[in-house]
Amino acid sequence: SIDPDTGKPYGMRFPVVTIRDFVNVQKALADALGIRRFVAVAGASMGAMQAVEWGADYPGMVDRIIPVIGVGLEADPYLVATMQLWAAPIRLDPHWNGGDYYGRAEPLEGLAAAMELVTVGARSPGWAGRGSGRKWAEAGKNPAQAFDNRYAIEAFVDKAARERARQYDANSFLYLTKAVQLFSVADRLKRVKSRILFITSRSDLLALPEYTRKTIEPLTAQQVPVEYYEIDEDGGHVDGLLHIDTMSETIRAFLDQTP
């Protein structure tokens, strides 16, 4: 986006944004469309954070919320540190140039390295072992004989990361990691009144199920109806997307309940 004061891209001069900001924009759109009440607000991963924000900021407008593979009520310190690791390769890429790379070489190597961390972080040991195992990336190229010889899992992660990097803007990615770090509705917990269906993934190593489980007690203590279910797969964080169909009947029953 262009900074009207300079006529140049904002880069990292754009204000820090939060999950709460995202929801406030959605609320403004709902108002413009004349929507006054939602049967449910649902989302996965960062979408789960937004669903929880809806419940905290607009409790009278939301009957139910369905956070899927979320982090409960706030970003745990371990998740904050994880986001720092994801952002680091971009900031270390000399082409990043403090965020002022528009119109010149982009920090694609740093962004690709960040996406490798995302790809592995969103998966699990079960997923890695079920794929190529310890096969070599190329026949006849033993990883023990040269640093450029790789295992198939390395080649897969590298290819997937580079494909994702071509779809992203590096600065935008940094803003998203910052928004995740800042996520918290703990100071507005008492505002939450909506019926909640939490869905996590048993093998999730990013949004650990325990993040969500520890939020159940404080919510039920203030009479919020809470249900909690885990997807029983071994693919990691993305099982909340790839196997959400296993929760179809659970979600249907939850939506059929009286608010």
Side-chain angles (χ1 to χ4, degrees):
S1 298
I2 302 299
D3 181 348
D5 292 335
T6 65
K8 299 178 180 179
Y10 275 105
M12 297 302 289
R13 290 176 294 276
F14 195 82
V16 170
V17 293
T18 66
I19 303 296
R20 192 176 190 180
D21 291 325
F22 302 165
V23 169
N24 286 338
V25 171
Q26 295 163 15
K27 172 61 163 57
L29 174 61
D31 290 344
L33 295 174
I35 298 171
R36 297 290 174 259
R37 194 173 191 86
F38 287 106
V39 171
V41 174
S45 196
M46 186 179 284
M49 299 179 190
Q50 293 174 66
V52 172
E53 284 279 4
W54 267 100
D57 285 350
Y58 305 105
M61 191 175 177
V62 181
D63 293 339
R64 307 166 184 82
I65 61 176
I66 309 175
V68 179
I69 51 174
V71 298
L73 302 176
E74 65 181 1
D76 181 88
Y78 188 78
L79 181 61
V80 173
T82 299
M83 293 300 102
Q84 166 66 12
L85 291 179
W86 285 13
I90 294 172
R91 301 173 71 98
L92 290 172
D93 189 320
H95 291 307
W96 181 59
N97 192 39
D100 290 325
Y101 54 80
Y102 300 105
R104 59 179 74 177
E106 298 185 13
L108 291 178
E109 288 301 314
L111 184 54
M115 289 302 167
E116 288 200 38
L117 292 172
V118 173
T119 301
V120 175
R123 288 297 195 166
S124 72
W127 160 80
R130 192 171 56 251
S132 55
R134 288 179 57 82
K135 293 180 182 178
W136 301 349
E138 297 181 63
K141 292 190 175 183
N142 186 344
Q145 294 177 343
F147 274 96
D148 288 339
N149 295 351
R150 301 186 296 174
Y151 288 101
I153 186 68
E154 294 180 274
F156 172 83
V157 169
D158 181 67
K159 182 175 183 293
R162 290 183 180 280
E163 289 176 350
R164 294 188 70 181
R166 287 194 289 269
Q167 302 170 19
Y168 276 82
D169 173 75
N171 284 343
S172 179
F173 182 79
L174 293 179
Y175 275 89
L176 291 180
T177 57
K178 185 71 167 180
V180 170
Q181 290 177 316
L182 294 171
F183 170 67
S184 177
V185 299
D187 60 332
R188 289 162 284 145
L189 176 63
K190 293 189 181 301
R191 291 176 52 85
V192 178
K193 307 296 181 186
S194 309
R195 186 182 294 273
I196 305 176
L197 170 61
F198 286 118
I199 298 176
T200 65
S201 172
R202 171 183 60 79
S203 59
D204 198 333
L205 300 178
L206 180 61
L208 298 173
E210 66 182 73
Y211 293 164
T212 295
R213 287 196 296 265
K214 69 182 181 181
T215 68
I216 295 175
E217 184 176 346
L219 286 167
T220 54
Q222 61 186 47
Q223 311 303 312
V224 174
V226 178
E227 297 180 42
Y228 174 86
Y229 293 89
E230 289 184 9
I231 295 172
D232 189 18
E233 299 287 345
D234 67 353
H237 188 63
V238 296
D239 278 345
L241 304 174
L242 301 180
H243 296 289
I244 190 61
D245 59 304
T246 63
M247 291 287 121
S248 295
E249 292 303 319
T250 298
I251 294 171
R252 182 176 290 108
F254 178 71
L255 293 175
D256 285 343
Q257 294 172 8
T258 302

